[in-house]
Amino acid sequence: MTAAGRDAFTSRIIQLIKRIPRGKVATYGQIALLAGNHRAARLVARVLHSSSRKERLPWHRVINGQGKVSLPAGGGREEQLDLLAEEGVTFGMEGRLDLKLYLWSPAQRREE
DNA sequence: GGCGTGACGTCAG
DNA sequence: ACTGACGCCACGC
């Protein structure tokens, strides 16, 4: 068995993202925290983006801790907003959503 | 196969 | 309240 520790971290991130229910969102920091490293938010972004293209993850359900989409305009931002809008997630006029309403919690993984 | 970078976040001042 | 520096380490070139 080859190394598992670091690979597990990446796999865990992917699994967590797959567990995000429709109509909810998660933050990088949250996933990083659930993965075991609250400072690995950047790795989440890194792995997510890389794996999303391979694993077809719901990358659009992952946003930053500010409740906003991290992508710049023209870089897929509107695409993500559109995907979330179809799930019932609406953003405020500041391009921000209410994390209190849409933020996913691991305790909900048995419910929607 | 090495180096810089980065869909972010936390900590300190 | 805001600014700046640091950390995390997998991925792409």
Side-chain angles (χ1 to χ4, degrees):
Chain A
M1 303 78 75
T2 48
R6 295 193 290 242
D7 284 343
F9 190 80
T10 303
S11 299
R12 199 166 303 141
I13 293 170
I14 297 172
Q15 294 300 318
L16 285 167
I17 295 169
K18 287 183 177 178
R19 284 156 70 174
I20 301 174
R22 178 174 166 281
K24 288 285 182 178
V25 297
T27 66
Y28 299 100
Q30 182 183 7
I31 294 171
L33 181 64
L34 293 171
N37 221 331
H38 75 284
R39 290 185 180 173
R42 295 179 84 160
L43 284 309
V44 175
R46 200 81 214 192
V47 174
L48 167 61
H49 217 186
S50 179
S51 299
S52 64
R53 204 163 64 176
K54 301 172 184 175
E55 304 288 335
R56 292 190 182 180
L57 301 174
W59 60 271
H60 59 273
R61 291 180 190 156
V62 183
I63 59 177
N64 61 18
Q66 300 171 10
K68 298 189 301 186
V69 176
S70 305
L71 282 79
R77 190 192 74 175
E78 294 187 359
E79 182 181 339
Q80 183 169 11
L81 292 174
D82 184 60
L83 289 168
L84 290 172
E86 293 192 45
E87 295 188 353
V89 180
T90 56
F91 287 74
M93 57 184 173
E94 294 184 0
R96 232 163 52 177
L97 60 78
D98 192 340
L99 289 174
K100 292 185 171 78
L101 295 175
Y102 298 112
L103 184 63
W104 172 61
S105 178
Q108 295 181 339
R109 64 191 169 118
R110 292 189 59 181
E111 299 181 76
E112 283 190 58

